[in-house]
Amino acid sequence: MAPKKPQSEKEKSAGPSPRGKNKPLKKIGVLTSGGDAPGMNACIRAATRAGLAKGLEVIGIMRGYSGIYEKQFIEMNSRSVANIVQRGGTILESSRCDEFMTAGGRAKAAGILQNEGISGLIVIGGNGTYLGAAGLCAESPIRVVGAPGTIDNDIYGTDFTIGFDTAVNTALEAIDRIRDTADAFHRVFFVEVMGRKSGYIALEVGIAGGAEEILIPEQSIDPETLSQTLRESFARGKRSSIIVVAEGNETGHTIEIARYVQYRLKLDCRVCVLGHLQRGGAPTAKDRVLASRLGTAAIDGLLDEKSGYAVGEIGGQIMFTPFAEAAEKKKPLNTYSLNTMKVLTL
Ligand code: F6P
């Protein structure tokens, strides 16, 4: 459900309507919602400490939007976020909350927050998190700023999302290992990575892992063409092949594709689904730094009339994008990377 109509140009420049939003902020909540991503803890830490430094009272809300209804509120101080910058997962835990996706549910949540004296929120998550936040901002006096936490990197308005770099490196380590065994047996391996609607992880891992092909939601390759490409590459002397498959790819179910190719090529094919492995683990330096910058910038945004916006980093600069745009606009895949991938498989 899309709870908020996109803002007009006038609304965008003026910021969301006041209705109590111009009162000084005293107490804010921080939550993580949707699929967890490595680096969320670094972002919680940054938002908490930056908020405290600005004289705000900071409340950690457990289990995403669900924690508002459950009143799972934790008073945060700078020690509450000690020793977490290096940890995967999220100390605030997460959920996907259907109730918050309805206007009635959001009105109830806004009432609970107001009763607690919480007038601002930092939400760390992906598209679903942003859509809920857009509704809350439009329908209540609660001010909200978002930070992009998802391994999928499918958020418009930021070059990278928090967790993407770690997920790519985790998948890459697995692919390097798979290459060893694939080579030993002259096999074709189909390695499924996450990405329900986006091929970002597959493309990045495909280039870094020297994959022969990637199957992604943004483009479709029929299994016969894929078989032909692989046949040619084996004819050129390759001993093994790795095909990186995004879970939401257009070609079909990974096991079905592998069966088809095995039948057509008379070559041994194997499937390896990396799944939730990619969601855990210590965040890379790149993710920790990104999360720290975005968590701090989210607090600045909350104090600076940027309610209704998601923070991101584009070309090294902090940028703010309205929630609806950040959640719904499709971030295009880098076509230069796609071409690079094709050339390098020769
Ligand atoms: O957070 C995004 C994502 O990692 C997708 O790539 C994947 O499809 C989805 O989460 C799976 O999430 P869950 O198993 O938590 O529903």
Side-chain angles (χ1 to χ4, degrees):
M1 172 191 268
K4 186 188 173 210
K5 66 175 172 33
Q7 286 180 304
S8 69
E9 284 309 312
K10 194 171 160 219
E11 281 170 331
K12 274 186 212 166
S13 56
S17 69
R19 283 205 291 145
K21 285 193 164 83
N22 43 11
K23 286 197 196 146
L25 274 180
K26 284 193 185 139
K27 192 174 182 180
I28 64 159
V30 179
L31 60 82
T32 50
S33 147
D36 53 287
M40 277 184 163
N41 280 328
C43 194
I44 295 168
R45 172 179 175 266
T48 301
R49 290 195 174 160
L52 293 170
K54 298 278 182 186
L56 297 170
E57 230 181 295
V58 181
I59 303 297
I61 301 174
M62 298 299 291
R63 294 196 354 95
Y65 294 125
S66 304
I68 301 177
Y69 304 107
E70 296 158 1
K71 301 196 182 142
Q72 291 209 50
F73 301 121
I74 294 168
E75 186 95 39
M76 305 287 268
N77 60 40
S78 59
R79 296 283 66 79
S80 330
V81 290
N83 204 14
I84 64 166
V85 72
Q86 78 283 19
R87 281 170 58 188
T90 157
I91 59 160
L92 295 178
E93 303 174 1
S94 193
S95 68
R96 293 197 167 91
C97 179
D98 291 339
E99 190 172 7
F100 200 78
M101 291 298 129
T102 66
R106 285 190 296 273
K108 186 174 163 194
I112 296 171
L113 291 170
Q114 283 174 291
N115 280 342
E116 293 290 326
I118 297 174
S119 50
L121 276 187
I122 301 290
V123 297
I124 307 163
N127 299 315
T129 306
Y130 282 5
L131 286 174
L136 186 68
C137 269
E139 299 152 6
S140 82
I142 310 289
R143 295 191 224 174
V144 193
V145 169
T150 165
I151 64 167
D152 287 352
N153 199 29
D154 58 348
I155 302 276
Y156 186 84
T158 189
D159 288 340
F160 298 106
T161 56
I162 298 163
F164 172 67
D165 187 62
T166 308
V168 164
N169 279 291
T170 303
L172 185 60
E173 193 188 330
I175 286 187
D176 288 347
R177 288 164 192 259
I178 287 169
R179 180 69 82 178
D180 293 343
T181 175
D183 234 27
F185 272 84
H186 296 200
R187 279 174 171 159
V188 178
F189 263 86
F190 291 81
V191 183
E192 189 181 291
V193 296
M194 276 191 166
R196 215 173 359 202
K197 293 184 184 150
S198 147
Y200 263 98
I201 296 179
L203 177 57
E204 201 84 349
V205 166
I207 294 175
E212 273 61 39
E213 189 56 271
I214 54 167
L215 305 179
I216 54 177
E218 289 84 351
Q219 65 180 20
S220 105
I221 300 171
D222 70 277
E224 188 49 38
T225 309
L226 176 64
S227 305
Q228 187 55 31
T229 308
L230 291 172
R231 187 177 289 117
E232 286 163 11
S233 76
F234 275 92
R236 284 197 305 275
K238 289 207 175 194
R239 290 202 312 266
S240 65
S241 280
I242 303 247
I243 316 299
V244 180
V245 187
E247 59 179 337
N249 82 89
E250 276 291 299
T251 309
H253 195 283
T254 311
I255 292 176
E256 301 298 320
I257 306 167
R259 278 205 191 112
Y260 184 92
V261 171
Q262 173 152 306
Y263 169 74
R264 293 293 288 147
L265 263 62
K266 308 285 179 269
L267 273 174
D268 237 5
C269 292
R270 293 287 186 274
V271 171
C272 179
V273 178
L274 299 182
H276 291 77
L277 260 182
Q278 297 155 95
R279 287 242 293 254
T284 58
K286 199 171 163 188
D287 270 331
R288 295 183 203 190
V289 173
L290 179 69
S292 301
R293 277 170 59 84
L294 296 185
T296 308
I299 292 289
D300 291 340
L302 205 56
L303 292 166
D304 188 29
E305 310 285 317
K306 286 285 188 269
S307 173
Y309 287 76
V311 67
E313 201 180 81
I314 299 178
Q317 300 298 312
I318 296 293
M319 306 291 275
F320 288 88
T321 306
F323 275 133
E325 211 175 304
E328 284 168 346
K329 256 194 173 171
K330 175 83 184 153
K331 180 158 83 181
L333 272 191
N334 186 323
T335 46
Y336 188 75
S337 293
L338 265 177
N339 292 338
T340 302
M341 158 91 221
K342 288 200 175 96
V343 172
L344 298 183
T345 57
L346 278 178

